Amino acid sequence: MNAPLSKQHCFVSGDEILAKITPLLKGVIKRHNGGMLAFCPSHDDRKGRSLAVSVGREGQIMMHCFAGCSIHEITASIGLSPADLFPRTESKYDPQTRSYFNEWQILSTLQHDAIVVLLAARWMLTGKPLPKSDIDFLSKAVIRINEAASYSRRFK
């Protein structure tokens, strides 16, 4: 049984992984679309090549057995695991820095809500009740204004 490819090398591309996997398969032929066909190693593949192999968009190795073998059965039969089909990188995860809104962005966004609050106040001064839909919108506007105030206080 071969050692997992991920422990042997640190691959940069799917083509390099494919170059290491291809010798582990029997009867490999290239297809016109860039992929390959091979005899599936996880079952007695005598009638024809039922294993399609290609490189995916993200550099991963794609394997599909038309006879129905799972990726786990296929990789185990050649001494690999499904994780060995994905390219490795030297870099570690680098979290993105969070971008914050500045004051003018917050104020610009809340300008509409401030106008709604003003119109509602003027309407209420006439003694007329606000329609239910306006009360719902006004409640949401007040919540957005409070959240913006809390958000901007974090940066003092």
Side-chain angles (χ1 to χ4, degrees):
M1 185 175 229
N2 298 321
L5 295 177
S6 59
K7 292 190 172 104
Q8 291 178 357
H9 301 285
C10 184
F11 297 107
V12 177
S13 71
D15 291 329
E16 290 177 296
I17 300 171
L18 190 61
K20 296 292 183 181
I21 290 175
T22 303
L24 303 175
L25 301 172
K26 293 184 177 158
V28 177
I29 58 172
K30 291 188 179 189
R31 299 172 70 189
H32 68 281
N33 65 0
M36 300 178 188
L37 285 176
F39 294 113
C40 180
S42 64
H43 75 273
D44 190 17
D45 205 2
R46 294 184 185 192
K47 292 184 180 178
R49 293 169 176 87
S50 64
L51 182 65
V53 182
S54 62
V55 178
R57 290 181 187 161
E58 310 258 332
Q60 76 277 23
I61 302 304
M62 308 289 289
M63 292 183 161
H64 177 74
C65 176
F66 294 102
C69 298
S70 74
I71 192 65
H72 298 283
E73 294 168 326
I74 297 166
T75 54
S77 65
I78 56 175
L80 303 175
S81 76
D84 295 320
L85 304 179
F86 292 86
R88 307 287 188 262
T89 62
E90 296 292 333
S91 65
K92 299 213 178 207
Y93 172 71
D94 185 24
Q96 299 293 321
T97 57
R98 182 173 177 187
S99 61
Y100 295 98
F101 299 105
N102 60 34
E103 287 83 16
W104 72 264
Q105 289 172 314
I106 294 170
L107 291 174
S108 174
T109 302
L110 295 177
Q111 183 179 14
H112 178 68
D113 286 340
I115 292 169
V116 168
V117 171
L118 176 63
L119 292 173
R122 286 188 177 169
W123 182 270
M124 291 169 51
L125 285 175
T126 66
K128 298 176 189 172
L130 284 172
K132 170 88 170 98
S133 60
D134 288 349
I135 293 172
D136 292 341
F137 187 87
L138 186 59
S139 297
K140 291 176 185 174
V142 170
I143 291 169
R144 285 190 294 270
I145 291 168
N146 284 330
E147 286 177 349
S150 297
Y151 179 83
S152 64
R153 275 189 224 114
R154 286 187 269 175
F155 303 106
K156 284 188 174 184

